[in-house]
Amino acid sequence: MPIDKVYEPQRFEPHWAEWWVSSGIFHASPSAPGPVFSLVIPPPNVTGSLHMGHMLEHTEIDVTIRWRRMMGHNTLWLPGTDHAGIATQMVVERELAKEGLDRHQLGREEFERRVWCWKEQSGGAILRQMVRTGTSCDWSRARFTLDEGLSRAVREVFVRLYEKGLIYRGEYMINWCPRCLTALSDLEVVHEESEGNLWHFRYPVNEPAGADPRHLIVATTRPETMLGDTAVAVNPKDARYASLRGKTVRLPLMDRDIPVIFDDMADPEFGTGVVKVTPAHDPNDFAAGQRHNLPLVQVIDQHGRMTPAAGRFAGLGRFEARKQVVAALDQQGLLNKVQPYTLSAGRCQRCKTIVEPLVSTQWFAKMKPLAEPAIKAVETGEIKFIPENWVKTYNEWMYNIRDWCISRQLWWGHRIPAWHCATCGKITVSREDPTQCAHCQSEDIKQDPDVLDTWFSSGLWPFSTLGWPEKTVDLATYYPTSLLITGFDILFFWVARMIMMGIECTGEVPFRQVYIHGLVRDAEKQKMSKTRGNTIDPLDVTERYGTDAVRFSLLRGAAPGTDIVTSEDRMAAARSFANKIWNAARFIFMNMEKAGVETYELATVDCCLPEANEYSITIPVEDRWIFSRLARCAELTGRAIETYRYHEAADTLYHFFWGEFCDWYVELKKLRMQQEPEVKAHLRNLLRTFEISLRLLHPVMPFLTEELWQRLVRKTDARPASIALAPYPDYDPSVIDHKSILDMDVFQDIVTAARNLRADLGEADPKKTLDGVLYSRSLGFEIASREKSFIEKLASVQLELRQEAAPKLEGAAVRSTTEFDLVLRLPAAQADAAIKRLEKEIANLEKVIANSRRQLEDETFLSRAPGKVVDQIKSKLADYETQLAKNQAALESLASK
């Protein structure tokens, strides 16, 4: 049974990644037995590529779905991608620009054809990357938000909501991206702070002839918009301006009169208490304009350039116009002052262009009627958020939800199923393309040019992917889905909208639980970004360290409610763990070959119990112990995965496999098989332990465990085709052998005490055996008597056993527990050398400790040093002091002879 000496995951991972897909072992069948467990993937953009956030999310989902599958559940993990309207259109338009073309030259039909061609050739790269990293989806069910079936669902929902009066068309203030040339929802606008200015201008008050001239001082961060002012506002409770009721002011540069209005939007405590009102370019001003019937004067167009309404500034870009407006006002003596001011500018989430508030005719969805049942579903526990603190965040947004602008001025996406009649001016909304107006039967109708916001279709994802509005078997079996795993950054974009749409369209919640994971951060706990240059390409690191190692490093940091810190050091450590598993397998396979055992046949009873052997009814203590630890590991790991405590699952597996299986069980089995005749009996329990361990590890490290399991387990008709289909190890408390656990605890304590004593004495060479005495009147003597040869081999000592209390011990190194006292002695020459070494180390430690203490007592240093540096010094000081105490104790023991 040849196995490579070196763990090189690149040799076998691509094979299993492709085989898992081609074999169809992850195909979900509604008729399959077992409780149903289903989830849908948060659909990545078709333009996207795998990043560490995806890697974390997909790993957590994959661990859960593999575990559920092994637990005998009828599992479905449904994959797919989102058409990503703005992002995809940008990508294809960039490609067209290389040809010297734009979409308007091509026309809508040809442009859409080009996008579909791009999608077939280059889109969906992220799904191919997911296949390579082993995600156990049912790839036969992969969906795309512009699939025919999903498109039908989108149209059905639009028409239903329109018929119920929950979708309407109107002229309102929206967020507009001058680069993408489309409306954006509030969620698609990212606010970033930057340093800017607050300009104060004088607006002359129109007074009767002969009256003293007056000015109102207004402040603005956007001087270019003053060209579209149609009023100035003061607070009705502000006594300073009571005399202005019914007055007007002269709008500088535009030479038109605008009224002074009294409105609560003006804060008497802010600035002069006077604000300019530009209803066409600010949402608050737009609302005030509606209250006071103010005209809309649009001075900035959809491209971010000044309109003819801006007078002599027409044609300028909005930021160039800003400079010229300020200069002109200053020249006229109307610039009062300029103050530095921190701005919070809204930017397009996709292209980072500063968003322009514009009044536009758009399609909107009424959200409050949809939000009410969605809030109730969470409050009643029908949907549970994990961690629970996200409920508060969800509720704050849902209770204050505003209508959603659902139309986008794009050509790529679900086109709005509404037709405008040129004859009567009314709109026909229809499930099928109409040939005439539903109101006047005119055939002169034209479909609305806009498409729906991408999140409209992805909000239907949990049920549209299962065939809704048809009553499919998949929908009946797998909906509502069991779980959603996603990041907090799309809690409102996607999660909340799925809940609202799911309840509205199906009458049921879309999922029962929502697990919100944190961000993946770098080793310094900084958010990863291309700007910082600290991003990690998951495909790059999986190639270097192996997919299992990257998964494992992410999972060990994935505590609920916290961000995940990762680094290549952590991945290297995880690779070392994978390498440890590989080396254990090599040892096992080599011993199988020596014993003439080709493969291991799965036990008929799948429980964590060792098998007795034909030579003796006595099962060795390490067998009884390791199967007890296996059972406990199965319990803890299963519970951790079930409760989304992935870090605990990874840690439990790590400590079991490395700390218990490899460091103790395998080492004991080496000695057993060297010294005792029943090699096959020992090998049988070793193989059984290893096979069960692989199944425990599989959800977390699927590639390595599949490779080893396929090599290890004999192929029979009863054997599953894959370890992924094998049962997860069962936990039965009755298999726990408490006596063996206690015995092994004492055994390990004796060996560890001897090893630590050797280290304290400076004797690290395992070839040199030290003499010692073990004193014990209790279990320590029993264990040491029974396993004396193994203790001596593992600790490189020669022990004399005495069933008595230890005398006063001088001139010796001692370790004591409640069960025993262990004494080791060095030969005189070695003892003298050890004393000199310890004295030198103690002197060096005392100097280092003194220097550290001086630094921590220096007030000047403490006031200037970063907190992180001070904490590091304190931590190191504690380590130095601990080591000093150990060395002093060892020296005292040696010097007392």
Side-chain angles (χ1 to χ4, degrees):
M1 186 181 299
I3 182 171
D4 297 334
K5 290 184 178 180
V6 180
Y7 168 61
E8 293 181 320
Q10 299 82 4
R11 291 191 177 191
F12 56 82
E13 285 187 354
H15 164 73
W16 292 119
E18 294 299 326
W19 182 81
W20 284 330
V21 177
S22 61
S23 65
I25 64 169
F26 301 140
H27 177 69
S29 172
S31 61
V36 170
F37 187 88
S38 61
L39 49 75
V40 293
I41 194 172
N45 288 353
V46 71
T47 60
S49 60
L50 203 66
H51 58 64
M52 290 307 290
H54 289 128
M55 189 75 185
L56 167 71
E57 187 169 272
H58 297 166
T59 296
E60 291 180 339
I61 298 174
D62 195 52
V63 168
T64 297
I65 206 76
R66 284 179 184 269
W67 178 72
R68 292 281 181 178
R69 188 182 292 118
M70 295 178 78
M71 290 294 290
H73 291 206
N74 179 354
T75 59
L76 168 64
W77 180 8
L78 195 149
T81 50
D82 188 277
H83 64 277
I86 295 176
T88 304
Q89 184 153 319
M90 284 177 61
V91 168
V92 176
E93 285 190 293
R94 278 199 297 264
E95 293 300 311
L96 289 177
K98 294 176 184 177
E99 303 175 36
L101 297 172
D102 64 38
R103 61 186 169 110
H104 298 286
Q105 291 172 287
L106 291 179
R108 185 164 193 152
E109 185 176 340
E110 175 60 17
F111 177 76
E112 287 179 334
R113 189 192 68 79
R114 289 281 193 112
V115 181
W116 277 107
C117 288
W118 175 88
K119 189 265 180 185
E120 294 303 318
Q121 294 171 7
S122 305
I126 195 168
L127 291 185
R128 294 189 289 273
Q129 293 167 346
M130 286 174 60
V131 168
R132 171 59 185 85
T133 53
T135 49
S136 59
C137 303
D138 181 351
W139 293 103
S140 69
R141 282 180 167 83
R143 306 304 299 269
F144 178 52
T145 48
L146 286 178
D147 283 351
E148 182 179 349
L150 274 66
S151 296
R152 182 175 172 225
V154 168
R155 179 175 283 201
E156 176 65 29
V157 172
F158 185 94
V159 175
R160 283 193 189 186
L161 295 180
Y162 181 81
E163 290 173 345
K164 292 180 70 172
L166 295 177
I167 283 180
Y168 63 94
R169 188 169 184 263
E171 187 178 57
Y172 295 94
M173 177 67 64
I174 51 93
N175 304 298
W176 181 267
C177 176
R179 164 61 182 82
C180 299
L181 295 178
T182 183
L184 305 173
S185 71
D186 291 342
L187 292 175
E188 292 170 300
V189 178
V190 179
H191 291 273
E192 296 180 1
E193 288 193 348
S194 61
E195 295 306 311
N197 291 314
L198 185 65
W199 286 272
H200 297 253
F201 301 125
R202 296 184 181 91
Y203 283 33
V205 178
N206 290 316
E207 300 281 17
D212 293 334
R214 283 193 293 172
H215 294 83
L216 293 182
I217 306 297
V218 299
T220 181
T221 59
R222 305 178 67 213
E224 67 279 9
T225 64
M226 61 87 62
L227 304 172
D229 286 358
T230 55
V232 293
V234 296
N235 194 285
K237 297 177 183 177
D238 194 336
R240 293 174 295 175
Y241 303 113
S243 64
L244 291 175
R245 193 172 294 275
K247 297 281 188 180
T248 61
V249 296
R250 193 70 170 168
L251 180 62
L253 304 181
M254 301 307 290
D255 295 326
R256 68 172 182 265
D257 294 336
I258 57 177
V260 178
I261 63 172
F262 287 75
D263 195 284
D264 288 336
M265 72 177 293
D267 181 0
E269 303 299 322
F270 181 76
T272 62
V274 183
V275 294
K276 58 190 287 298
V277 183
T278 318
H281 295 286
D282 182 272
N284 293 324
D285 293 6
F286 177 77
Q290 289 187 314
R291 289 193 295 271
H292 297 273
N293 296 314
L294 299 176
L296 297 172
V297 178
Q298 184 175 336
V299 294
I300 302 174
D301 68 12
Q302 295 178 341
H303 298 274
R305 306 194 73 80
M306 307 309 287
T307 69
R312 57 180 161 134
F313 303 98
L316 295 176
R318 51 186 169 158
F319 301 120
E320 177 58 29
R322 177 178 300 177
K323 297 176 185 176
Q324 294 196 23
V325 165
V326 171
L329 289 167
D330 187 23
Q331 188 177 14
Q332 293 184 17
L334 297 176
L335 176 60
N336 179 255
K337 64 178 178 178
V338 182
Q339 290 178 300
Y341 194 79
T342 301
L343 305 173
S344 180
R347 292 180 179 270
C348 173
Q349 184 197 42
R350 182 61 55 188
C351 70
K352 308 308 178 189
T353 300
I354 292 179
V355 168
E356 189 63 44
L358 292 179
V359 175
S360 178
T361 300
Q362 301 286 341
W363 290 89
F364 294 85
K366 292 182 181 178
M367 301 307 288
K368 287 196 179 293
L370 297 173
E372 289 171 3
I375 292 169
K376 183 180 178 182
V378 173
E379 289 181 341
T380 60
E382 196 174 0
I383 296 176
K384 293 185 182 296
F385 278 86
I386 304 160
E388 289 186 359
N389 59 288
W390 287 108
V391 172
K392 181 180 178 182
T393 307
Y394 170 85
N395 282 338
E396 284 177 354
W397 188 70
M398 293 292 279
Y399 275 112
N400 296 288
I401 200 165
R402 299 199 302 177
D403 286 358
W404 171 19
C405 177
I406 59 174
S407 50
R408 298 291 180 270
Q409 287 62 56
L410 303 171
W411 286 358
W412 174 245
H414 294 99
R415 195 162 177 183
I416 290 176
W419 283 258
H420 300 267
C421 179
T423 303
C424 70
K426 293 183 178 180
I427 296 174
T428 300
V429 171
S430 175
R431 290 173 175 81
E432 305 296 334
D433 291 1
T435 57
Q436 60 184 23
C437 174
H439 306 281
C440 71
Q441 286 69 55
S442 169
E443 295 182 1
D444 191 4
I445 58 174
K446 183 178 291 186
Q447 188 172 2
D448 195 291
D450 292 349
V451 300
L452 286 164
D453 178 9
T454 297
W455 296 100
F456 190 95
S457 53
S458 57
L460 318 181
W461 187 251
F463 53 94
S464 65
T465 52
L466 295 171
W468 187 94
E470 297 295 329
K471 295 181 179 180
T472 64
V473 176
D474 274 2
L475 188 67
T477 304
Y478 297 113
Y479 188 87
T481 60
S482 310
L483 171 68
L484 178 73
I485 295 181
T486 189
F488 65 82
D489 52 333
I490 54 174
L491 178 59
F492 307 126
F493 274 115
W494 191 48
V495 179
R497 287 171 178 168
M498 282 191 291
I499 296 173
M500 289 185 278
M501 292 295 200
I503 296 172
E504 170 67 22
C505 296
T506 72
E508 295 187 88
V509 295
F511 28 72
R512 302 298 185 190
Q513 292 184 313
V514 181
Y515 176 69
I516 305 288
H517 62 70
L519 289 175
V520 180
R521 297 184 180 272
D522 68 11
E524 301 301 318
K525 299 185 179 180
Q526 297 291 314
K527 183 178 179 180
M528 289 188 179
S529 72
K530 292 180 180 179
T531 304
R532 288 193 178 97
N534 63 347
T535 56
I536 296 176
D537 184 339
L539 295 178
D540 178 39
V541 290
T542 54
E543 185 65 26
R544 275 185 281 153
Y545 299 108
T547 305
D548 289 325
V550 178
R551 286 167 62 109
F552 195 80
S553 68
L554 288 169
L555 291 171
R556 289 199 80 180
T562 63
D563 287 343
I564 293 85
V565 177
T566 191
S567 66
E568 295 207 31
D569 287 344
R570 290 174 181 248
M571 293 174 199
R575 191 186 191 284
S576 295
F577 178 53
N579 192 61
K580 187 79 171 179
I581 298 169
W582 186 265
N583 287 337
R586 286 192 67 241
F587 165 76
I588 290 168
F589 289 154
M590 284 190 292
N591 278 277
M592 290 172 68
E593 190 173 359
K594 287 179 185 177
V597 176
E598 293 184 2
T599 53
Y600 170 74
E601 187 166 349
L602 288 176
T604 54
V605 179
D606 184 50
C607 63
C608 298
L609 278 174
E611 297 180 45
N613 61 67
E614 61 266 36
Y615 299 99
S616 170
I617 61 170
T618 304
I619 299 174
V621 63
E622 71 270 13
D623 284 345
R624 290 181 284 116
W625 168 77
I626 198 65
F627 281 97
S628 295
R629 301 309 299 155
L630 265 176
R632 182 62 172 159
C633 184
E635 178 197 20
L636 294 177
T637 306
R639 186 189 305 158
I641 295 172
E642 185 176 25
T643 55
Y644 317 114
R645 303 188 69 81
Y646 300 103
H647 66 302
E648 290 181 2
D651 277 342
T652 299
L653 291 167
Y654 178 88
H655 291 299
F656 167 77
F657 199 91
W658 193 311
E660 295 178 331
F661 180 77
C662 290
D663 285 354
W664 291 102
Y665 184 67
V666 170
E667 292 304 312
L668 272 168
K669 282 303 174 197
K670 283 182 185 178
L671 298 176
R672 292 278 188 203
M673 290 188 288
Q674 288 171 3
Q675 298 179 20
E676 298 181 5
E678 55 268 30
V679 171
K680 286 190 176 180
H682 288 300
L683 185 60
R684 186 163 54 244
N685 277 332
L686 176 60
L687 293 180
R688 189 171 186 193
T689 308
F690 186 58
E691 191 276 329
I692 294 173
S693 299
L694 290 178
R695 282 187 275 138
L696 281 175
L697 283 161
H698 177 72
V700 171
M701 306 181 85
F703 287 100
L704 175 59
T705 52
E706 184 77 85
E707 174 73 11
L708 297 177
W709 193 84
Q710 293 283 357
R711 290 171 177 260
L712 175 69
V713 179
R714 183 176 305 163
K715 292 183 178 180
T716 64
D717 291 341
R719 193 204 80 163
S722 164
I723 188 175
L725 304 180
Y728 196 77
D730 189 21
Y731 170 69
D732 181 351
S734 67
V735 309
I736 303 296
D737 186 330
H738 296 286
K739 179 64 167 63
S740 71
I741 294 173
L742 182 59
D743 287 355
M744 276 298 294
D745 283 346
V746 175
F747 177 87
Q748 290 170 324
D749 285 346
I750 295 172
V751 174
T752 301
R755 288 172 173 173
N756 289 341
L757 279 174
R758 289 175 60 88
D760 289 347
L761 295 170
E763 185 51 76
D765 186 353
K767 294 180 181 178
K768 291 184 180 179
T769 301
L770 299 185
D771 292 331
V773 182
L774 184 136
Y775 298 90
S776 176
R777 287 179 172 176
S778 58
L779 188 59
F781 184 81
E782 176 192 332
I783 299 300
S785 299
R786 190 174 69 222
E787 310 293 350
K788 181 173 182 289
S789 64
F790 298 123
I791 292 171
E792 291 178 333
K793 285 280 187 182
L794 292 172
S796 297
V797 295
Q798 189 72 40
L799 288 181
E800 177 186 350
L801 305 183
R802 297 187 183 178
Q803 195 172 11
E804 60 186 57
K808 184 178 180 181
L809 299 168
E810 296 182 352
V814 183
R815 280 287 187 278
S816 298
T817 72
T818 55
E819 297 293 342
F820 62 84
D821 296 290
L822 179 65
V823 181
L824 289 187
R825 301 179 187 278
L826 278 174
Q830 283 183 267
D832 290 342
I835 288 171
K836 290 179 181 178
R837 178 185 61 78
L838 286 168
E839 287 175 338
K840 184 176 180 180
E841 287 184 8
I842 287 170
N844 289 335
L845 284 168
E846 286 174 338
K847 288 180 183 177
V848 173
I849 288 170
N851 286 336
S852 297
R853 286 175 177 167
R854 270 196 299 273
Q855 279 186 296
L856 294 174
E857 292 168 359
D858 186 338
E859 294 297 332
T860 303
F861 170 77
L862 293 176
S863 65
R864 295 177 178 175
K868 184 177 179 181
V869 172
V870 175
D871 289 342
Q872 287 176 343
I873 294 173
K874 289 179 179 178
S875 177
K876 288 181 179 179
L877 175 59
D879 292 341
Y880 296 147
E881 290 173 335
T882 300
Q883 187 59 45
L884 177 63
K886 289 176 63 176
N887 286 357
Q888 287 173 333
L891 179 62
E892 182 180 349
S893 177
L894 287 170
S896 62
K897 63 182 180 180

